[in-house]
Amino acid sequence: GAGVSQSPSNKVTEKGKDVELRCDPISGHTALYWYRQSLGQGLEFLIYFQGNSAPDKSGLPSDRFSAERTGGSVSTLTIQRTQQEDSAVYLCASSFQPGQQETQYFGPGTRLLVL
Amino acid sequence: AQKVTQAQTEISVVEKEDVTLDCVYETRDTTYYLFWYKQPPSGELVFLIRRNSFDEQNEISGRYSWNFQKSTSSFNFTITASQVVDSAVYFCALSEKKDRGSTLGRLYFGRGTQLTVWP
């Protein structure tokens, strides 16, 4: 079956612009996670969605970052007024259910470059 | 403090050599899960294995094997008879039952080990 898909694959933007990154989880998966991978910070958690519940935003680095998940499926991560330090690979993952025992399956990521 | 430490940043081996990737974790929970993921040059994280804290049996899958030792908080990964296709970054990750936040199942990753297998 189809895995986690993300779009765009690559995004180049100018400092100060807004960007939207999209994640389409595996069908039937209720939990969705966003992570960021950068040279300096490694892989770090950003935000978590479980079904239609309020997301856990504890990992978002600033209020310029926001995310939503519509209909319990597709998620969009928005970065406003992008900065050069936002350049990273943004990875989305989904799992069948929430919980520590569940395996998260990752998408191919979106490579964001802020000039 | 890092919850997951992968002390080896880079490892280079020649094809057919065995190689072990180290992973040391830190948690106060008695129930937790450990994972290994592979990230080939294409960038996608590929799941390799999941192990819960109550199962200390070593596991073997083809050329891959994992050694889980709670006494030393380690979950090491060995590739036997390495191949060029094994070249990738390998990540060890931890998932705890009790998290400071409310996120169930968020993964704490190590910094990864870049494995290069030369022909």
Side-chain angles (χ1 to χ4, degrees), chain A residues 21-41:
Chain A
L21 313 179
R22 175 187 168 108
C23 171
D24 209 333
I26 293 172
S27 178
H29 281 196
T30 62
L32 186 149
Y33 303 80
W34 282 96
Y35 294 85
R36 178 169 73 173
Q37 184 175 22
S38 58
L39 284 176
Q41 302 298 323

Side-chain angles (χ1 to χ4, degrees), chain A residues 34-38 41-46 59, chain B residues 106-107 109:
Chain A
W34 282 96
Y35 294 85
R36 178 169 73 173
Q37 184 175 22
S38 58
Q41 302 298 323
L43 270 158
E44 53 181 344
F45 164 78
L46 296 177
Chain B
R106 65 166 287 185
L107 294 172
F109 285 91

Side-chain angles (χ1 to χ4, degrees), chain B residues 12-49:
Chain B
S12 289
V13 298
V14 177
E15 219 172 10
K16 298 184 183 177
E17 285 186 21
D18 298 348
V19 58
T20 295
L21 309 181
D22 297 335
C23 173
V24 174
Y25 62 91
E26 180 180 335
T27 181
R28 295 180 180 179
D29 289 352
T30 55
T31 303
Y32 52 89
Y33 283 75
L34 295 163
F35 301 79
W36 275 95
Y37 285 86
K38 174 182 180 180
Q39 188 175 44
S42 60
E44 188 163 345
L45 279 167
V46 178
F47 166 74
L48 295 178
I49 191 173

Side-chain angles (χ1 to χ4, degrees), chain A residues 42-65:
Chain A
L43 270 158
E44 53 181 344
F45 164 78
L46 296 177
I47 189 169
Y48 154 74
F49 294 90
Q50 162 52 21
N52 295 318
S53 303
D56 180 341
K57 307 177 183 180
S58 59
L60 294 179
S62 79
D63 58 9
R64 295 185 296 104
F65 288 72

Side-chain angles (χ1 to χ4, degrees), chain B residues 61-73:
Chain B
S61 177
R63 295 185 296 107
Y64 295 170
S65 62
W66 290 269
N67 184 333
F68 177 32
Q69 292 195 345
K70 289 178 75 170
S71 60
T72 55
S73 296

